[in-house]
Amino acid sequence: MNSIGKTIRSMPGGKFEERFQEITKEVLKNPRVQSFLSSKPEITSEQLNRGINELFQYQTQWNNCDKCPGLDACPNIMKGYQPFLSLYRNDLHLEYQMCPLLRKDNTRKRQASLIQSLYIPKEMTTATFDDVHEDNTRAKAISKAMEFTVHVNPGESGQGLFVYGPFGVGKTFLMGAIANELAERNIQTMIVYAPDFFRELKNGIQDGSYQQKLEVVKRSPVLILDDIGAETMSNWIRDDILGALLQYRMMEKLPTLYTSNFDLDELEHHLSYTQRGGVEKMDQLKAKRIMERIRYLNEVIEMKGVNKRA
């Protein structure tokens, strides 16, 4: 912290007292300092003399804020903090409060801590509704997504959304916006790219890690299964993973959201057709049981539009 004395001594030449008086006059002419002093008419000349260094710091720090170079390059004594004057025990006192940039950065970090993702591009998890391009083909999906964020109540209601449509229309981006909006409400969300997640669980069978990984996902207050239907289906994925996952979440009333290139009938057919080849009656029944849960607990929304990735 640079005091007036240190500042003067760092200046070339002598005449300490003269320079001190010049800086004092400059400080007292500062509009912010004048505004504070006018609000405290009880301040005496003696208090003012004792507190001139606090007034100098107040001016200096606010000059930095007026020319703000950004949070990372903040030159203030306490990075990201702005000074405020008060009268404490008959003396001028400086306090520091977070600046808007630091508050925004802290909010962003807090939100990021509430959004977990597996195999999802970072730009998708940082999306907001302001970033989602709304047109006639997406209006309903956006409206329903925003409505969901208002009414969601994990543990009390397991109602979710099933958003389907062609590749590249913004389904995953919309889910990222939902996750960030929920983070504003301190609701934790996990976004999982389903094909890679199922593949990871399969690889975890050998080292016994798959159960632990599955537990983390299935207990998330809000779960988003992105691109379900794009995985290679097997009895194990359908029955032991997806079936068990959805059963638990249904019983605990934890909302699950889905994106898919398939509509519900197409997804049911996909779940029926395993690597064994063909579609057997038992596979159809198991697929139907899973789809009944999805149909019962999720509002189905078709999302159309131009492929944004083309």
Side-chain angles (χ1 to χ4, degrees):
M1 179 184 296
N2 286 341
S3 64
I4 290 181
K6 187 175 181 181
T7 300
I8 293 173
R9 285 192 292 273
S10 68
M11 298 169 65
K15 300 182 179 179
F16 179 94
E17 185 62 31
E18 183 178 327
R19 291 178 181 273
F20 177 82
Q21 293 300 328
E22 289 176 358
I23 291 178
T24 298
K25 289 179 181 180
E26 180 184 338
V27 169
L28 294 177
K29 287 180 181 179
N30 181 271
R32 285 194 177 93
V33 172
Q34 287 186 347
S35 178
F36 171 76
L37 293 178
S38 65
S39 69
K40 303 288 184 182
E42 70 273 20
I43 294 178
T44 65
S45 297
E46 184 180 351
Q47 290 172 326
L48 195 59
N49 289 333
R50 288 200 306 266
I52 196 64
N53 194 61
E54 279 68 25
L55 294 176
F56 175 74
Q57 293 297 332
Y58 179 72
Q59 173 194 256
T60 302
Q61 299 293 286
W62 269 110
N63 285 344
N64 292 337
C65 291
D66 290 337
K67 302 173 184 177
C68 178
L71 185 59
D72 290 340
C74 176
N76 275 2
I77 296 167
M78 297 174 62
K79 179 183 283 191
Y81 284 81
Q82 295 172 324
F84 291 87
L85 281 168
S86 64
L87 196 58
Y88 179 71
R89 292 184 178 178
N90 296 320
D91 277 314
L92 294 176
H93 179 69
L94 269 184
E95 299 175 350
Y96 288 86
Q97 298 178 9
M98 284 190 291
C99 75
L101 289 182
L102 182 57
R103 286 198 299 269
K104 185 177 181 180
D105 187 63
N106 286 345
T107 298
R108 180 188 59 78
K109 290 176 180 177
R110 178 183 60 79
Q111 290 181 341
S113 71
L114 290 169
I115 302 173
Q116 298 175 284
S117 63
L118 294 175
Y119 323 109
I120 296 289
K122 185 177 181 180
E123 62 268 22
M124 297 299 182
T125 65
T126 58
T128 68
F129 282 117
D130 290 337
D131 300 323
V132 181
H133 176 66
E134 182 173 352
D135 54 33
N136 291 335
T137 62
R138 296 179 176 86
K140 181 181 178 181
I142 296 171
S143 175
K144 291 296 182 181
M146 295 179 73
E147 184 179 328
F148 170 82
T149 63
V150 172
H151 298 293
V152 64
N153 193 3
E156 297 295 329
S157 172
Q159 294 297 315
L161 300 174
F162 183 93
V163 181
Y164 75 95
F167 177 83
V169 296
K171 300 185 297 294
T172 305
F173 203 75
L174 182 65
M175 292 296 162
I178 289 175
N180 274 287
E181 190 68 22
L182 294 182
E184 290 273 4
R185 296 183 54 196
N186 291 318
I187 297 176
Q188 189 171 33
T189 304
M190 176 168 279
I191 310 179
V192 176
Y193 180 63
D196 283 349
F197 173 59
F198 294 143
R199 189 180 304 114
E200 179 72 17
L201 290 182
K202 184 178 180 180
N203 294 336
I205 294 176
Q206 293 181 344
D207 61 14
S209 65
Y210 93 90
Q211 189 63 48
Q212 182 180 1
K213 295 173 181 176
L214 179 60
E215 286 293 316
V216 171
V217 171
K218 81 177 187 179
R219 295 179 185 276
S220 178
V222 176
L223 174 63
I224 297 172
L225 287 177
D226 184 50
D227 211 6
I228 190 168
E231 68 285 334
T232 301
M233 187 48 59
S234 69
N235 286 0
W236 182 74
I237 290 175
R238 183 193 61 209
D239 304 335
D240 296 335
I241 302 302
L242 187 58
L245 175 70
L246 299 188
Q247 176 66 18
Y248 176 86
R249 296 187 63 78
M250 181 180 69
M251 296 299 293
E252 296 298 320
K253 297 183 178 180
L254 299 175
T256 306
L257 293 80
Y258 309 82
T259 72
S260 182
N261 292 339
F262 293 153
D263 63 24
L264 293 183
D265 291 336
E266 292 169 334
L267 182 59
E268 182 172 335
H269 178 74
H270 170 74
L271 294 175
S272 302
Y273 193 92
T274 67
Q275 289 175 315
R276 292 181 305 185
V279 179
E280 298 182 5
K281 186 174 182 179
M282 184 58 67
D283 291 323
Q284 289 179 320
L285 291 174
K286 291 180 177 181
K288 188 176 292 294
R289 187 176 298 117
I290 289 175
M291 293 308 301
E292 284 177 353
R293 295 170 184 164
I294 294 176
R295 284 187 171 94
Y296 174 69
L297 289 170
N298 292 271
E299 183 168 3
V300 179
I301 302 166
E302 183 178 11
M303 193 166 179
K304 303 177 182 178
V306 179
N307 185 344
K308 297 293 185 180
R309 303 181 195 175

